[in-house]
Amino acid sequence: MARMEPFASRIDLGAGTLETAAAIIQRKLSDMRSAYADEAAVEQILAAEGDRLIYEVRAAGIDEVEGHIPHSTTVIQPGRVGDEFHMTKGHFHVKRDRAEIYLCLAGQGQLILQAEDGTVRTVAMERGTVAYVPPSWAHRTANTGDRPFAFFAAWPGDAGHDYGTIEASGFAKILVLRDGEAVLVDNPRRGGRP
Ligand code: M6P
Ligand code: ZN
């Protein structure tokens, strides 16, 4: 591996964002149409109000290769699509035995994890929560609050992002607002995606 110069970044601890980022990815509703269970709600939002920013990832720009530790901040805007809270696309790691660590910096949310056999777990996150994604769990985060939800993430450089498995079948469960509470319910579209 080529020698790399040491460096430091700064995180705005109020907003929970990397102040300088080598790469910024914005995911809008139109980029993740199939991620939400309520297809009609997606189309209704797009028609009525146009596109919507769901989340932004600011990455430090570390090479995604073995030995490095890429890291980023993610900010998910508050809101819902139908009953379902705004969330990230979610992914497995290509190398399933690679873990990841999250530090919540602002807002409130939940980390939603799914094992290969469909088992789903959630971990509540608020400022100061360190959440561990063990090897072999797909992971997605959802904003359950009314302010932006921000967290720092770091993962092994050779982990890789496998989005296809989740895109193909979705998570087994979705996080929705029911009677004022965030609850996990069966995904009505699980396995039946076009
Ligand atoms: C965290 C990390 C990143 C990931 C981002 C958004 O910052 O897990 O690797 O890219 O969240 O999640 P996703 O890639 O699933 O949209
Ligand atoms: Zn990951």
Side-chain angles (χ1 to χ4, degrees):
M1 187 188 297
R3 192 174 85 173
M4 183 181 174
E5 287 299 315
F7 77 100
S9 318
R10 285 193 55 82
I11 289 181
D12 175 335
L13 289 173
T17 50
L18 269 177
E19 288 175 355
T20 51
I24 299 176
I25 298 169
Q26 292 193 330
R27 300 266 191 232
K28 297 184 174 172
L29 182 58
S30 62
D31 300 323
M32 45 189 311
R33 275 187 151 97
S34 66
Y36 291 96
D38 189 341
E39 286 172 280
V42 172
E43 297 312 320
Q44 193 270 331
I45 291 167
L46 292 174
E49 67 181 64
D51 216 351
R52 184 191 273 190
L53 176 67
I54 306 289
Y55 64 102
E56 181 176 282
V57 179
R58 298 175 67 90
I62 309 293
D63 287 347
E64 302 246 353
V65 297
E66 184 177 5
H68 277 302
I69 305 177
H71 48 279
S72 62
T73 54
T74 299
V75 179
I76 308 175
Q77 295 303 313
R80 292 185 302 279
V81 176
D83 292 339
E84 195 172 7
F85 291 101
H86 280 184
M87 62 186 181
T88 59
K89 291 174 73 168
H91 58 271
F92 278 102
H93 289 154
V94 174
K95 291 192 175 175
R96 293 289 197 266
D97 62 355
R98 299 300 194 264
E100 186 158 347
I101 195 155
Y102 287 170
L103 168 62
C104 183
L105 299 168
Q108 282 191 314
Q110 295 215 19
L111 168 61
I112 307 164
L113 306 107
Q114 176 165 310
E116 296 267 18
D117 69 358
T119 302
V120 175
R121 298 279 185 260
T122 57
V123 177
M125 292 174 70
E126 61 181 14
R127 184 172 164 79
T129 302
V130 177
Y132 186 59
V133 179
S136 303
W137 291 83
H139 39 288
R140 135 180 307 162
T141 41
N143 185 346
T144 55
D146 52 16
R147 291 174 293 141
F149 166 55
F151 62 94
F152 175 83
W155 61 94
D158 61 345
H161 290 71
D162 166 14
Y163 292 105
T165 304
I166 295 301
E167 276 169 6
S169 56
F171 272 61
K173 293 184 183 288
I174 59 172
L175 194 66
V176 297
L177 183 70
R178 291 281 155 83
D179 301 324
E181 301 278 321
V183 293
L184 207 55
V185 299
D186 286 343
N187 182 354
R189 286 180 69 191
R190 171 78 169 167
R193 307 177 90 77

